[in-house]
Amino acid sequence: MNVLQTGSIKTTCPYCGVGCGVLASMDEQGVVSVKGDPDHPANYGRLCSKGTALGETAYLQDRLLYPEIKGEQVSWDQALSTISGRFSEIIDEHGADAVAFYVSGQLLTEDYYVANKLMKGFIGSANIDTNSRLCMSSAVAAYKRAFGEDCVPCSFEDLDKANLIVLTGSNAAWCHPILFQQIVRAKKANPKLKVINIDPRETQTTSAADIQLSLKPGTDAVLFNGLLNYLKELDIENNFFTENCTSGIDGALQAAKESAPSIASVAEQCALSEEDVSEFYNLFANTEKVVTVFSQGINQSSSGVDKGNAIINCHLFTGRIGRPGMGPFSFTGQPNAMGGREVGGLANQLAAHMDLENPEHCDRVQRFWNSPTIANKQGLKAVDLFEAIDQGKVKAVWIMATNPVVSMPDAEKVKAALKKCELVIVSDCVRETDTAKVADILLPALTWGENDGTVTNSDRHISRRRSFLTAPGQAKADWDIITEVAHRMGFAEHFPYASAADIFREHAALSAFENDDKANAHRFFNISELQNITNQEYETFPIKPWPITAESPAGTKRLFSNGKFNTPDGKARFISVTPRAPAFSTTKEFDLVLNTGRVRDHWHTMTRTGVSPRLSAHIHEPFVEVNPLDAAQYGLTDRSLARINGPLEKSVIVRVQYSDKQQRGSIFLPIHWNGQFSSRANVGALIPSVVDPISGQPESKHGIVNIEPYVGNWHGFILSNNSTNLDLGFAKYWVKSRGRGFWRYEMAGYHCGPNWAAFSKELLGTISEDEWIEYFDKSNHTYRAAQFRGSKLINIIFIGPNEKLPPRDWLISLFQKEEISISERMSLLSGKPPADQEDAGKTVCACFNVGEKTILKAINEKGLTTPEQIGECLQAGTNCGSCLPELRGILASNTFASA
Ligand SMILES: Nc1nc2c(c(=O)[nH]1)N[C@H]1C(S)=C(S)[C@@H](COP(=O)(O)OP(=O)(O)OC[C@H]3O[C@@H](n4cnc5c(=O)[nH]c(N)nc54)[C@H](O)[C@@H]3O)O[C@H]1N2
Ligand SMILES: Nc1nc2c(c(=O)[nH]1)N[C@H]1C(S)=C(S)[C@@H](COP(=O)(O)OP(=O)(O)OC[C@H]3O[C@@H](n4cnc5c(=O)[nH]c(N)nc54)[C@H](O)[C@@H]3O)O[C@H]1N2
Ligand code: SF4
Ligand SMILES: [Mo]
């Protein structure tokens, strides 16, 4: 890979919706380094662990480097002509709705704009949906119902100005770490600031909370309806605001009263104590500056839209919107979830915040695009789209920047549907993904570091993604690939783009097109000021929140400050919410609620974070969080394996992790592990495809399952410095993770068939000069071996009859050594360091590679009592700060243990 320019460039982190500014560069040795951009308003120089490790993910291993058809390398021309030819044939024969795009909040705005334009204005179908359907489509629908337009009213700055922050369904400490740290700092600076965390389980986010409300899963609408009712009873209404700026209040109050008439009723329905509920309600009632943050615990629900509106209702009732330090704030997940919303990338939107089902809007967009046709009815939303593929109604699908075989609910069915589908095209930057495996055509896309364009973060700031690396292999920008297909389908004159800037200008011009104050024409999404941006200005574009117009050329921090909304009467709407239970309740057979979500250092399906040793060190194995009392009931032990079975007749096998922070009756599974990294950990296969009737967002936080111990006859691990992709099909359970200088494989199985000594050599490969040191005890299925090539350690394999194998941390540290000493060789097969060496334990601080045992030792020997002292002593926690909640946890449990 070559560096495109010297010195560092300003770009934006490709992970979460905080959209942190990054300064990135590559040195002459090809080493990519990143640091936080001190001038960027989202992060002011800070980066979390994922942002800090970006350099480790910018290399070429595992990349898709050239187009392929059915596994054979082809030229771009062949690939693109095949796609346009097959699309055109299918459309001619079966109509425009027989083809579809399934895109992603990880595309840049320009990519997204072109994909949406091609499908809705030229192919003439609205069958373009996106993984944002699984992510924040409920928040979109809730905002739209309340404000008439999908607008996030707040600014990150409001977190500093608030006196109460209510987080619900958000594990910001791990998922929006820079915002979480902003909240922690705001608390230090403002002792009046209180934080409430609403989540069925305690998470790292709880560490900043004054009150943790571990409510019964799925009951948030009751809690917020109860709050509305309470505010009404206390007469905390902002009468001026409700009278002049809102409609529908009576219905909402009535519905709130009926469903949540008293604190006692709320406490009972949500399984909370009356004291906790009343403390929360009191704080909300008595604090003017309140920000309510909501995320997937709200959105990923079969009543997610209503839950969003139950939250917004409380802000409308108190008029706490459009002013500093207040508002209902959906934290978006993906780096460009918001850009996708602006271009209308969902199957039920048009473009530039216009509606598919509004004939005036369709006419306006068609005139602007000068297009032969325009979709005028909603297309298929993600779950329905894959259902239509399964039924053969959609015959060709082009998947861009998403991995639905892992991330969709009922994921095995999605896989089967794609296998049957006539034509599956996948544009990705990575060669091997579970979705790429079922594709007919693979298209190599540029990714972070290489592509150019814009993204919009959670608080509407548009910022630039800039390239500093040249295109690897034959990879192309996503917009370029789509444009080429549009040309070949006969639409060349309508897609005259030579650069991302060309597309951005058109996107900005559409936002301004007939966007005036006349009723039915005004849209808040307006970046008219950027429609004539020159290439040079685009190159240096700073970062601004939309709307960006002649009146507000520097952008607009907060929306609705004048109390005007985008509804026909200009008023915000209260929505009457009647809470509904999740679609599935537990049964005798499936007696546990399945909650799913994220871990700190992995990103979704791990295609990028899974190649980073630093990020893989934090949690290297898929796990299930179980309350110890439940675990005892089901015969599970901590760190043993368990099988989790769901009603779709699929199961996963993962490691048990005791957690008293997990309420009884629920378990939590992380979403990240998939077929590339483990045998059976794809949680999508356990989640039925039940959706919210308005948004179509799946209920990914509430499956039903049962759990049982998985007792293998043998257990083992391999640490290997050269085997990147061992075929472990013989093991019922396997998982792989990357470390610095090695790959780690954990395994278990039923049949102790192999003669391990011979089998290991076959599996790992050996040459005549290799030296093996081995220990084999056939009577109890124990085999331990280390393979050396010269003085270099190549492989370690340990097999035993049960899970009681030595800790891996010291063995792992040997892979960082050029030479293994005699005493180390002698100790190796015991798995324990020689007397003069120490074991650092599991990595806690990914930035400085500091282990738990090292931290505990320093705490005890030096009497450390604060994370700051740990930082001074070991550096842990002093860079990105993502491990600070864990450092606090270690300090707390150590105090507890030594008390
Ligand atoms: N490290 C990391 N960060 C990420 C991502 C990642 O993959 N890894 N992905 C990004 C993306 S795309 C997204 S969408 C965001 C998601 O960010 P978050 O929404 O914060 O993350 P999740 O872990 O999906 O879920 C949040 C919490 O919802 C809780 N929850 C479950 N059921 C309920 C309920 O009934 N009520 C309430 N109140 N809470 C409930 C879960 O216990 C969980 O702790 O993260 C973004 N940031
Ligand atoms: N059970 C359960 N399921 C869930 C969730 C949950 O909480 N629980 N969360 C849902 C949510 S919120 C989300 S956002 C989804 C995420 O799920 P996915 O979108 O399926 O996950 P990613 O791994 O982010 O997939 C992105 C793909 O794009 C590729 N890529 C990266 N950069 C580029 C690029 O520039 N161009 C192209 N063409 N490709 C690129 C990556 O290699 C990767 O294969 O999962 C959803 N599924
Ligand atoms: S919080 Fe972390 S992952 Fe999110 S944008 Fe910032 S550095 Fe990237
Ligand atoms: Mo997401």
Side-chain angles (χ1 to χ4, degrees), residues 11 22-25 32-36 47 50-55 448 468:
T11 184
V22 170
L23 300 176
S25 61
V32 173
S33 13
V34 297
K35 52 184 190 195
L47 292 176
K50 291 181 297 302
T52 304
L54 269 170
W448 183 85
F468 66 103

Side-chain angles (χ1 to χ4, degrees), residues 228 231-232 237-238 242 249 313-319 574:
L228 182 63
L231 296 169
K232 171 69 186 161
E237 183 171 352
N238 181 331
T242 51
I249 188 168
N313 283 345
C314 297
H315 281 268
L316 293 179
F317 189 75
T318 47
F574 277 93

Side-chain angles (χ1 to χ4, degrees), residues 19 92 134 137 218 259 267 274 302 323 383 416 492 549 608 610 755 765-766:
D92 286 348
L134 321 175
S137 57
S259 57
E274 288 186 34
S302 58
R323 289 184 284 143
V383 166
T549 59
R608 289 169 295 162
N755 166 349
T766 188

Side-chain angles (χ1 to χ4, degrees), residues 359-567:
E360 267 182 54
H361 290 186
C362 290
D363 173 63
R364 184 179 303 133
V365 175
Q366 187 172 6
R367 280 186 288 113
F368 180 85
W369 279 342
N370 190 17
S371 64
T373 173
I374 192 86
N376 57 10
K377 62 172 186 1
Q378 295 198 3
L380 295 168
K381 298 182 181 134
V383 166
D384 296 334
L385 171 61
F386 285 98
E387 183 62 37
I389 293 171
D390 190 54
Q391 291 172 6
K393 291 183 187 150
V394 167
K395 295 173 194 303
V397 61
W398 186 354
I399 298 166
M400 306 176 206
T402 176
N403 196 355
V405 166
V406 184
S407 52
M408 282 289 292
D410 204 351
E412 285 295 325
K413 188 171 172 193
V414 168
K415 183 167 155 188
L418 289 174
K419 274 189 176 163
K420 286 194 284 190
C421 184
E422 269 182 55
L423 178 63
V424 177
I425 304 151
V426 169
S427 298
D428 205 296
C429 47
V430 171
R431 173 67 184 77
E432 303 282 335
T433 72
D434 287 5
T435 304
K437 280 198 170 330
V438 294
D440 302 292
I441 302 186
L442 291 179
L443 303 175
L446 298 179
T447 186
W448 183 85
E450 303 149 4
N451 57 10
D452 258 290
T454 53
V455 291
T456 308
N457 73 351
S458 291
D459 75 341
R460 286 175 284 103
H461 277 76
I462 298 177
S463 69
R464 286 274 280 112
R465 173 87 66 85
R466 294 185 177 88
S467 60
F468 66 103
L469 306 168
T470 49
Q474 298 178 17
K476 279 179 188 282
D478 285 291
W479 66 262
D480 196 4
I481 306 175
I482 306 160
T483 298
E484 290 275 353
V485 169
H487 284 205
R488 284 169 169 76
M489 289 179 80
F491 310 123
E493 66 178 298
H494 301 280
F495 291 79
Y497 314 122
S499 69
D502 287 344
I503 303 165
F504 186 80
R505 279 186 285 269
E506 184 179 311
H507 164 60
L510 176 55
S511 82
F513 187 58
E514 297 177 4
N515 187 359
D516 49 40
D517 274 334
K518 280 194 307 224
N520 214 21
H522 172 70
R523 283 109 57 195
F524 280 92
F525 176 65
N526 187 344
I527 50 171
S528 52
E529 206 45 19
L530 305 177
Q531 57 188 317
N532 297 317
I533 191 170
T534 63
N535 286 352
Q536 179 57 30
E537 285 162 346
Y538 182 76
E539 209 34 66
T540 55
F541 181 71
I543 165 167
K544 293 181 187 181
W546 62 258
I548 307 166
T549 59
E551 295 83 61
S552 58
T556 315
K557 268 195 192 140
R558 227 162 264 110
L559 295 179
F560 313 131
S561 299
N562 62 359
K564 294 255 179 313
F565 297 85
N566 198 2
T567 50

Side-chain angles (χ1 to χ4, degrees), residues 18-37:
V18 183
C20 294
V22 170
L23 300 176
S25 61
M26 185 189 242
D27 68 15
E28 275 150 20
Q29 278 77 46
V31 177
V32 173
S33 13
V34 297
K35 52 184 190 195
D37 178 353

Side-chain angles (χ1 to χ4, degrees), residues 843-872:
T843 303
V844 175
C845 169
C847 297
F848 295 109
N849 195 17
V850 187
E852 192 174 14
K853 289 187 186 160
T854 310
I855 295 168
L856 276 168
K857 187 160 175 266
I859 291 174
N860 290 323
E861 282 178 0
K862 306 207 166 123
L864 310 179
T865 54
T866 64
E868 290 75 20
Q869 290 172 346
I870 297 178
E872 271 167 40

